[in-house]
Amino acid sequence: FDQEDKALFLGSPHFISDFADATATEFRIYFKNNKIEKAELQDSCYVKFRTEHDKEKRNWIDSDYMELQFEDSKIRLCQAESNVISFFEQPANDKQDFMKNESTAEELLLFISNNNELEKIEMKQNVDGKYTFEPN
């Protein structure tokens, strides 16, 4: 922790929360008013996360760089860049069909709700993948 309200973690640190677990070669954590505002993950970034509250963390993103933005101590945005590989699976329920996505891209954005549920996924640049949909 330094005068810039920033902490640097080296040597493959781990971050664990209700929504996601993350690892990388290096973490830079930025604070505002003693709360995490942003985390930057550098090299060999891997985040495993859930898409809904009370679901298993079986979705994941792998990339060279990630930035996690926080609000009220919860992740609100995950931005992955460079050599992004991802896997998402959405189970079927009364409101949504089953969906599975295995893809690659240069950039991926995850928007997360106040309830720690995945709201939206955006992929940009050189997007390629396999998408599976099964109606209820």
Side-chain angles (χ1 to χ4, degrees):
F1 197 73
D2 65 16
Q3 295 175 3
E4 298 176 15
D5 290 334
K6 176 175 75 172
L8 175 64
F9 298 91
L10 303 171
S12 300
H14 297 270
F15 170 85
I16 297 172
S17 75
D18 289 339
F19 178 74
D21 301 339
T23 61
T25 302
E26 178 181 310
F27 282 11
R28 287 181 298 279
I29 311 292
Y30 297 85
F31 298 89
K32 185 174 184 179
N33 299 324
N34 291 324
K35 291 185 178 181
I36 297 175
E37 180 179 49
K38 176 173 77 168
E40 294 178 343
L41 288 63
Q42 185 70 49
D43 298 324
S44 302
C45 308
Y46 180 79
V47 174
K48 189 172 184 177
F49 64 97
R50 68 179 92 233
T51 56
E52 298 177 39
H53 187 64
D54 295 331
K55 297 289 182 187
E56 186 180 335
K57 295 175 190 171
R58 65 176 168 230
N59 302 290
W60 53 267
I61 303 167
D62 187 84
S63 71
D64 293 339
Y65 173 82
M66 282 189 207
E67 182 177 307
L68 306 173
Q69 294 182 12
F70 291 77
E71 184 179 298
D72 297 325
S73 301
K74 294 182 181 177
I75 300 169
R76 292 292 181 252
L77 174 68
C78 173
Q79 180 176 0
E81 296 177 358
S82 187
N83 299 312
V84 179
I85 303 169
S86 63
F87 174 83
F88 302 102
E89 187 174 274
Q90 169 184 285
N93 62 31
D94 294 339
K95 298 177 187 175
Q96 61 192 21
D97 295 334
F98 172 85
M99 185 272 300
K100 183 165 63 170
N101 172 325
E102 300 172 72
S103 57
T104 61
E106 283 304 308
E107 183 177 4
L108 176 133
L109 297 166
L110 295 182
F111 297 88
I112 299 131
S113 74
N114 292 341
N115 299 337
N116 271 345
E117 293 183 0
L118 186 60
E119 286 184 331
K120 182 172 140 181
I121 302 169
E122 285 183 19
M123 298 189 82
K124 300 176 182 181
Q125 299 177 354
N126 302 321
V127 178
D128 188 25
K130 179 179 167 184
Y131 300 84
T132 305
F133 300 93
E134 294 177 12
N136 283 336

